[in-house]
Amino acid sequence: MGVGGCLALPWRCLVVLCLRLLFLVPAGVPVRSGDATFPKAMDNVTVRQGESATLRCTVDERVTRVAWLNRSTILYAGNDKWSIDNRVVILSNTKTQYSIKIHNVDIYDEGPYTCSVQTDNHPKTSRVHLIVQVPPQIVNISSDITVNEGSSVTLMCLAFGRPEPTVTWRHLSGKVRQTFVSEDEYLEITGITREQSGEYECSAVNDVAVPDVRKVKVTVNYPPYISNAKNTGASVGQKGILQCEASAVPVAEFQWFKEDTRLANGLEGVRIESKGRLSTLTFFNVSEKDYGNYTCVATNQLGNTNASIILYGPGAVHDGGNAASRVAAGLCLWATLLARLLLDF
Ligand SMILES: *[C@@H]1O[C@H](CO)[C@@H](O)[C@H](O)[C@H]1NC(C)=O
Ligand SMILES: *[C@@H]1O[C@H](CO)[C@@H](O)[C@H](O)[C@H]1NC(C)=O
Ligand SMILES: *[C@@H]1O[C@H](CO)[C@@H](O)[C@H](O)[C@H]1NC(C)=O
Ligand SMILES: *[C@@H]1O[C@H](CO)[C@@H](O)[C@H](O)[C@H]1NC(C)=O
Ligand SMILES: *[C@@H]1O[C@H](CO)[C@@H](O)[C@H](O)[C@H]1NC(C)=O
Ligand SMILES: *[C@@H]1O[C@H](CO)[C@@H](O)[C@H](O)[C@H]1NC(C)=O
């Protein structure tokens, strides 16, 4: 509050003065700028690592000696430099101000600095805290990892910054992108499922600069599971295609059998093509002997599974005991029940 403020509101100045007398009389206690007593230092100084900090101390002509101290070490006494640190320079030593500057501030510079003055043989000090901020930075994070389904996984994300950053984990491949899976440096997943595979993002956040964000890929291995294997009809002389679809991590390898005989490329008239999760068995020119029961086997390092697929001719109702035959059985049951009801009637 300036003099103008005091003229306008004298009672407020009185209250402020009383409060200051109550709390700030002991020497060495931080003195806020605008205080009536000398020396006057500024409020705490906050700078980012690498920037420069200016420490100002307001004095008057009664002052006979001045010095800036870092803890109990003298940096400057008057115009004499005591510090051997070439980052520390004097900015001004006038009748009204005594200031120094610290270039390229680092975290170990953080702490209390003292402006010490002597007025009429009375030493007085004022203290200012230099606060050094550091943008968030992830310093160590788990590498991409591959695990088997059901095992436990711990992801780690260690971050540095000042103030200390908050660390959170998100599952990016998850359906809800915003869901935090952990609000901690460690993310623990016990009994991991295939749905929990994908990318995990660690963010380190403080209010100094933009968050630091890194990703970790978690691959979950699981044995093959055949999701699609449909019986297929084809007429003699035409093309016939059997398809087998399996999901697995790592990707499954496929084999085709007819009864106990393994089919292979190069055998007359057939071609096997496997790409990703799909394998197809193609008959270029279907003949009677091709009809029958085929087995598709999907294998990866965690196991194998198989499914039967029938290649049938026109007129044949082959559904491998599946939907159509179940519908037929159901209809039959109904017919029987209906017949009995009618008889009972
Ligand atoms: C202040 O003191 C600390 C602790 O002794 C030291 O590490 C740092 O370099 C000093 N900073 C300056 C600017 O003198
Ligand atoms: C200056 O910083 C110190 C240490 O962080 C703190 O205790 C003090 O309250 C701060 N003073 C002001 C005026 O912000
Ligand atoms: C990261 O943390 C791991 C586990 O604590 C440790 O083995 C590794 O040495 C650390 N890496 C770095 C670069 O600090
Ligand atoms: C398919 O096979 C039959 C009998 O082997 C043969 O007569 C016919 O020409 C073949 N068709 C084609 C398109 O190769
Ligand atoms: C298909 O799976 C069954 C049951 O797991 C197994 O007994 C059979 O040997 C498998 N058949 C082939 C051809 O791998
Ligand atoms: C096809 O063969 C498999 C085993 O080889 C058998 O379990 C299945 O019942 C057969 N399907 C038909 C319709 O014969």
Side-chain angles (χ1 to χ4, degrees):
M1 192 180 292
V3 177
C6 279
L7 288 175
L9 292 163
W11 58 274
R12 273 184 70 181
C13 286
L14 210 60
V15 172
V16 170
L17 195 66
C18 287
L19 285 173
R20 283 181 180 157
L21 285 174
L22 266 176
F23 296 115
L24 300 175
V25 159
V29 168
V31 181
R32 305 197 53 139
S33 56
D35 198 278
T37 57
F38 284 105
K40 284 193 283 188
M42 52 207 307
D43 288 339
N44 288 344
V45 177
T46 301
V47 294
R48 278 201 210 170
Q49 185 182 35
E51 293 179 346
S52 13
T54 301
L55 306 180
R56 286 196 183 85
C57 190
T58 307
V59 294
D60 69 4
E61 61 279 349
R62 291 175 299 147
V63 168
T64 51
R65 289 171 187 213
V66 285
W68 267 108
L69 290 80
N70 174 7
R71 296 184 178 86
S72 56
T73 309
I74 297 175
L75 299 175
Y76 263 95
N79 288 325
D80 297 331
K81 186 171 179 182
W82 287 44
S83 167
I84 55 161
D85 192 334
N86 58 13
R87 297 174 306 138
V88 182
V89 295
I90 190 156
L91 268 191
S92 62
N93 183 7
T94 66
K95 285 195 170 77
T96 54
Q97 200 172 74
Y98 183 55
S99 317
I100 60 165
K101 189 167 192 169
I102 306 166
H103 287 290
N104 193 16
V105 167
D106 211 333
I107 48 180
Y108 51 78
D109 294 323
E110 183 165 294
Y113 288 75
T114 307
C115 172
S116 172
V117 306
Q118 195 154 352
T119 308
D120 311 328
N121 277 335
H122 292 296
K124 278 182 185 151
T125 61
S126 107
R127 183 176 278 192
V128 54
H129 276 265
L130 177 61
I131 294 161
V132 183
Q133 295 187 323
V134 182
Q137 193 196 346
I138 294 171
V139 291
N140 195 351
I141 186 164
S142 301
S143 321
D144 291 351
I145 186 174
T146 299
V147 294
N148 292 343
E149 194 169 42
S151 52
S152 295
V153 177
T154 302
L155 299 182
M156 168 202 70
C157 177
L158 304 181
F160 177 76
R162 280 164 175 256
E164 187 157 341
T166 359
V167 176
T168 52
W169 280 101
R170 285 193 309 177
H171 185 198
L172 292 187
S173 319
K175 295 206 173 63
V176 193
R177 213 185 114 92
Q178 286 305 318
T179 316
F180 290 112
V181 284
S182 174
E183 309 213 357
D184 187 48
E185 294 173 321
Y186 292 91
L187 166 63
E188 287 178 42
I189 308 171
T190 45
I192 195 164
T193 65
R194 57 195 77 174
E195 289 78 24
Q196 286 172 306
S197 68
E199 278 189 328
Y200 287 81
E201 183 187 85
C202 170
S203 319
V205 180
N206 71 11
D207 53 14
V208 176
V210 291
D212 193 12
V213 175
R214 305 252 309 257
K215 288 175 190 165
V216 176
K217 193 175 172 198
V218 176
T219 306
V220 179
N221 287 340
Y222 58 92
Y225 159 80
I226 293 179
S227 50
N228 198 2
K230 272 208 295 284
N231 299 331
T232 309
S235 310
V236 168
Q238 290 193 329
K239 206 176 189 184
I241 298 174
L242 298 184
Q243 290 196 324
C244 180
E245 201 176 322
S247 62
V249 176
V251 167
E253 285 182 15
F254 293 92
Q255 293 177 330
W256 289 86
F257 291 87
K258 187 177 189 191
E259 272 99 53
D260 288 336
T261 312
R262 178 162 173 204
L263 305 178
N265 274 327
L267 282 182
E268 227 173 296
V270 297
R271 187 176 65 208
I272 297 169
E273 262 183 314
S274 301
K275 205 174 171 198
R277 33 192 298 151
L278 186 68
S279 181
T280 54
L281 171 61
T282 307
F283 302 86
F284 295 113
N285 184 0
V286 172
S287 67
E288 283 288 346
K289 66 168 173 49
D290 292 329
Y291 294 134
N293 192 348
Y294 292 82
T295 307
C296 157
V297 181
T299 310
N300 75 1
Q301 67 212 38
L302 266 67
N304 68 78
T305 185
N306 64 60
S308 295
I309 308 176
I310 289 160
L311 182 70
Y312 57 86
V317 179
H318 274 297
D319 210 24
N322 290 338
S325 47
R326 274 202 294 277
V327 169
L331 281 176
C332 188
L333 193 67
W334 271 107
T336 316
L337 284 172
L338 203 65
R340 290 185 78 176
L341 273 173
L342 288 171
L343 283 176
D344 284 350
F345 201 76

